[in-house]
C-alpha cells in the first residue's frame, strides 16, 4: 500500500472483495499478448470450478485483444478468484480482474469514476487499489503504463457509487502519496475536458452592444481594472463609423474570465453590454446549433402528446380562425398556420394545448371534420427524425421480398397459360428426371440416355410433317434438344451436324419449303444447348 501521510478512515468496510453483485462471470483485463485460454483456465481453476474461459481475439488476425472472460459455477468461487487473483502476474504482466456486467451503462456513465495524477512511479495497480479501497467498493482500478510497463504517473479508480468517490476526493486530493502531492478529482471524458478548457482558457474577449461614442480608450479603462490588456479595438466600417462591437485581449486567461464575469450584462451609456469569449465562426455556429437542438428537444418533450398537426386547411384559414376552431377543446398555448415566403398559406399548421388530454379530445373531434368544404387531417405532431424513421419502417414493410428462382437455369420462361415443363415445343431443356440415389453410376447414365432418346422421338413427331424419314426427324430433333449425357455425345452431334450441313441439301426435295435455314438454326441451337 502506498504510504499516505494523511488518510481518511475506512468509511465502507466492504472493500473490493465484497460480492454485492452475486455474479459468476469475471472480466480479466491487461492480459499479455501471448496468454492463451488454457493458461487462464489453469490459473482460475485453482479458485474453484471453472465453467468456461475465453480470451477475446481479433476476428481477422486472431491476435489477443488483451482481455477475456472466466465463468465460475457459483458466485462464491468467483468472489474468491476476484479477491485472490486480482493483479496477479501472468506471463510477467499483472492482470486486472473485475466483475463482468452485460449492461455497460454503469461503466460508461462515469458515475463514481475518479482520476488521480502526479503519482509516484513506484505506485502500481495493487498499491493504488489498496490505498482507495478504504473508501468503498472498487469496481475497477488501473495505473496507466507505457509500452515498457512503466507508470505514466496517473491512474483511474471507479467506485460502485458516487458517495464513495466523493469521499475519496475530499480525503485524498492534495495529500502526499510516497512523498508526492497528488491530484484526485472526478473523471472527465475527452469531450468534456475540451469543453471545460475552451470555457476557462481564453484571453480574447468579445464585446457587443456598444454605444457609437465608445472608443478604444473607454474599453481600455473599463477592462483594465481586471488585468493587463495587450490590445483593445472597436470595429468600424469604411467611413470610420462604429459597428458597436469590439475585442479586448488580456495577457492571461484568468483576467479575461474575471472580466467576462464582472462586465457581462452591465450598462454603459444606457446600453447593456454583452461580454463573452471571442469565438471563431465555426465554434459559434456549433454552439448555436447545439443550443437550437436542445431548445427543440425541450419544446418537444414539453409538448409531447399536446401538440397537434393539421393539414388540408383552406387558404382562408389564418392563425385566429384556426385558434377559434380548436379553442372549444381546451386551453391553447400556441397556434400557427404555416406560410411560404410570399405569405401564402401552405395548407398546414400546428395547435398546442396545455395538456395531452385536451389535444386527444380535439384530435377525436376534428379529424375528418369539414371546414370550408375541406376535410381536416388532424394528428399528433412528430419531430422530423421520428417521422422519417416511421416512414422508412412503413416503406420497408411494403417493399416486396425478392424470391429465389426455383426454375432450372436453362428452362424457358412462358407467360401464364403457355406450355408447362412437360410441354416444351421448340427449344430449351427440362430439368433432368429424378433418379433414385441407390442407382449405380452406370444405371444413371442408362436412364439419362433413355430420357434423351425419348425426347428426340417425341419431338420429331411434333416438329416435322410430310415425307421426311424417321431417322432424319430423330437426328434433327436430337440436334435441337441436345442429350443430357456427355460421353459419346460430342461425336454424335458432329456426325449429325455434317449430315444436316452436307448431305441433307442434296435431298432438298424431301424438305418442305421454308426449312432451308434449318441447318444453321440447328448449329446455333446445338451450341446453345451445349
Amino acid at each position: 500500500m502506498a504510504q499516505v501521510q494523511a488518510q481518511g478512515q475506512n468509511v465502507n468496510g466492504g472493500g473490493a472483495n465484497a460480492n454485492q453483485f452475486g455474479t459468476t462471470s469475471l472480466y480479466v483485463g491487461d492480459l499479455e499478448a501471448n496468454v492463451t485460454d488454457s493458461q487462464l483456465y489453469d490459473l482460475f481453476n485453482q479458485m474453484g470450478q471453472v465453467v468456461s474461459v475465453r480470451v477475446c481475439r481479433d476476428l481477422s488476425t486472431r491476435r489477443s485483444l488483451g482481455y477475456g472472460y472466466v465463468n465460475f459455477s457459483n458466485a462464491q468461487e468467483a468472489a474468491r478468484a476476484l479477491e485472490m487473483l486480482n493483479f496477479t502476474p501472468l506471463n510477467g504482466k499483472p492482470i486486472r480482474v473485475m466483475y463482468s456486467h452485460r449492461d455497460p451503462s454503469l461503466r460508461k456513465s462515469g458515475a463514481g469514476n475518479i482520476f488521480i495524477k502526479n503519482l509516484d512511479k513506484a505506485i502500481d495497480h495493487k498499491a493504488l487499489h489498496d490505498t482507495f479501497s478504504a473508501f468503498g467498493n472498487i469496481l475497477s482500478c488501473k495505473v496507466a503504463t507505457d509500452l515498457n510497463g512503466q507508470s505514466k504517473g496517473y491512474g483511474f479508480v471507479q467506485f460502485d457509487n458516487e458517495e464513495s468517490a466523493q469521499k475519496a476526493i475530499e480525503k485524498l486530493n492534495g495529500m502526499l502519496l510516497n512523498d508526492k502531492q497528488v491530484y484526485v478529482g472526478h473523471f472527465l471524458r475527452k469531450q468534456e475536458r475540451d469543453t471545460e478548457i475552451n470555457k476557462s482558457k481564453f484571453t480574447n474577449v468579445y464585446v457587443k452592444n456598444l454605444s457609437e461614442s465608445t472608443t478604444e480608450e473607454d474599453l481600455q479603462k473599463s477592462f483594465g481594472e481586471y488585468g493587463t490588456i495587450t490590445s483593445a479595438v472597436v470595429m468600424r466600417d469604411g467611413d470610420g463609423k462604429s459597428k458597436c462591437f469590439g475585442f479586448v485581449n488580456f495577457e492571461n486567461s484568468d483576467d479575461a474570465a474575471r472580466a467576462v464575469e464582472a462586465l457581462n450584462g452591465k450598462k454603459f451609456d444606457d446600453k447593456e453590454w454583452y461580454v463573452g469569449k471571442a469565438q471563431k465562426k465555426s465554434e459559434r455556429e456549433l454552439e448555436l446549433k447545439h443550443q437550437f437542438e436542445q431548445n427543440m428537444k425541450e419544446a418537444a418533450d414539453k409538448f409531447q402528446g399536446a401538440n397537434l398537426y393539421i393539414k388540408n386547411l383552406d387558404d382562408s384559414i389564418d392563425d385566429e380562425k384556426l385558434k377559434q376552431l380548436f379553442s372549444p377543446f381546451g386551453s391553447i398555448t400556441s397556434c400557427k398556420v404555416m406560410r411560404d415566403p410570399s405569405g401564402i398559406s401552405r395548407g398546414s399548421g400546428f395547435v398546442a394545448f396545455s395538456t395531452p388530454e385536451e389535444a386527444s379530445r380535439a384530435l377525436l373531434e376534428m379529424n375528418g371534420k369539414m371546414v370550408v368544404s375541406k376535410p381536416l387531417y388532424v394528428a399528433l405532431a412528430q419531430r422530423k427524425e421520428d417521422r422519417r424513421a416511421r416512414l422508412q419502417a412503413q416503406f420497408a414493410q411494403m417493399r416486396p421480398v425478392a424470391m429465389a428462382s426455383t426454375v432450372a437455369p436453362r428452362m424457358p420462361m412462358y407467360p401464364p397459360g403457355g406450355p408447362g415443363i412437360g410441354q416444351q415445343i421448340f427449344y430449351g431443356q427440362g430439368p433432368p428426371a429424378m433418379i433414385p440415389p441407390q442407382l449405380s453410376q452406370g444405371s444413371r447414365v442408362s436412364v439419362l440416355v433413355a430420357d434423351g432418346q425419348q425426347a428426340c422421338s417425341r419431338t420429331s413427331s411434333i416438329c416435322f410433317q410430310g415425307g421426311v424419314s424417321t431417322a432424319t426427324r430423330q437426328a434433327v430433333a436430337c440436334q435441337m434438344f441436345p442429350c443430357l449425357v456427355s460421353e459419346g455425345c460430342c461425336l454424335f452431334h458432329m456426325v449429325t451436324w455434317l449430315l444436316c450441313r452436307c448431305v441433307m441439301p442434296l435431298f432438298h426435295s424431301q424438305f418442305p419449303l421454308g426449312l432451308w435455314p434449318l441447318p444453321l438454326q440447328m448449329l446455333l441451337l446445338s451450341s446453345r444447348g451445349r
Side-chain angles (χ1 to χ4, degrees), residues 275-514:
V275 183
K277 174 192 170 185
Q279 294 175 303
K280 297 178 182 177
K281 184 178 180 180
S282 58
E283 295 175 343
R284 190 166 62 252
E285 288 176 348
L286 185 62
E287 183 177 340
L288 291 174
K289 181 181 178 182
H290 288 164
Q291 289 180 357
F292 176 76
E293 291 176 350
Q294 184 65 25
N295 293 337
M296 289 293 292
K297 187 176 184 301
E298 290 176 357
D301 294 340
K302 180 181 177 181
F303 294 106
Q304 183 68 34
N307 196 12
L308 296 181
Y309 168 71
I310 301 99
K311 71 176 181 180
N312 205 29
L313 291 172
D314 189 79
D315 293 343
S316 62
I317 302 294
D318 57 11
D319 296 351
E320 189 61 34
K321 290 182 179 179
L322 186 63
K323 187 173 183 179
Q324 291 175 3
L325 284 173
F326 284 85
S327 58
F329 304 101
S331 175
I332 295 176
T333 58
S334 66
C335 182
K336 180 74 173 177
V337 173
M338 306 307 293
R339 300 183 179 277
D340 62 17
S342 59
I344 300 175
S345 172
R346 295 181 185 269
S348 62
F350 297 90
V351 177
F353 287 89
S354 58
T355 64
E357 291 76 17
E358 295 172 348
S360 299
R361 190 161 59 249
L363 190 153
L364 292 174
E365 294 289 338
M366 296 298 292
N367 188 30
K369 184 177 180 179
M370 298 293 294
V371 176
V372 195
S373 73
K374 281 189 173 185
L376 293 184
Y377 170 83
V378 184
L380 289 175
Q382 292 179 306
R383 296 174 63 194
K384 187 176 181 180
E385 296 82 5
D386 298 337
R387 188 167 64 253
R388 183 185 291 116
R390 181 175 59 84
L391 292 175
Q392 287 176 348
Q394 289 180 353
F395 289 146
Q397 292 176 357
M398 295 167 56
R399 189 179 296 123
V401 180
M403 299 295 292
S405 176
T406 57
V407 183
R410 294 163 59 194
M411 175 69 64
M413 300 297 292
Y414 298 96
I421 294 177
Q423 299 172 313
Q424 299 167 1
I425 295 180
F426 291 108
Y427 67 92
Q429 177 174 313
M434 296 298 295
I435 303 173
Q438 61 269 22
L439 291 181
S440 64
Q441 185 65 26
S443 302
R444 295 188 183 192
V445 172
S446 302
V447 172
L448 291 173
V449 171
D451 286 347
Q453 291 174 350
Q454 290 175 5
C456 293
S457 302
R458 187 165 58 251
T459 310
S460 65
S461 62
I462 297 174
C463 294
F464 297 98
Q465 304 291 336
V468 184
S469 67
T470 301
T472 304
R473 289 201 303 268
Q474 289 184 354
V476 173
C478 288
Q479 186 71 7
M480 295 177 68
F481 292 82
C483 295
L484 298 174
V485 185
S486 58
E487 291 83 356
C489 234
C490 255
L491 182 60
F492 176 77
H493 284 311
M494 187 179 298
V495 173
T496 305
W497 183 84
L498 289 173
L499 174 67
C500 295
R501 189 72 178 86
C502 304
V503 180
M504 287 177 65
L506 300 178
F507 303 96
H508 63 276
S509 60
Q510 296 186 20
F511 275 82
L513 186 63

Side-chain angles (χ1 to χ4, degrees), residues 178-239:
N178 286 11
D179 299 324
K180 291 190 73 172
Q181 186 178 12
V182 297
Y183 165 83
V184 183
H186 289 288
F187 168 75
L188 295 175
R189 295 183 179 87
K190 187 176 186 303
Q191 299 87 340
E192 297 171 342
R193 290 199 305 273
D194 293 342
T195 303
E196 291 295 324
I197 291 172
N198 290 336
K199 285 183 178 179
S200 59
K201 300 295 182 183
F202 62 93
T203 58
N204 201 12
V205 176
Y206 169 70
V207 192
K208 73 174 182 178
N209 205 27
L210 300 174
S211 170
E212 292 186 3
S213 60
T214 301
T215 63
E216 284 82 356
E217 290 76 15
D218 296 330
L219 291 181
Q220 288 269 8
K221 182 179 179 181
S222 299
F223 284 87
E225 302 175 7
Y226 303 97
T228 305
I229 295 175
T230 58
S231 65
V233 62
V234 174
M235 305 305 294
R236 302 180 182 277
D237 59 18
D239 300 327

Side-chain angles (χ1 to χ4, degrees), residues 97-117:
V97 185
M98 58 185 289
Y99 285 112
S100 173
H101 300 282
R102 291 186 179 275
D103 183 9
S105 57
L106 176 64
R107 186 176 70 254
K108 293 184 177 181
S109 66
N113 201 0
I114 61 176
F115 169 70
I116 307 100
K117 68 178 180 180

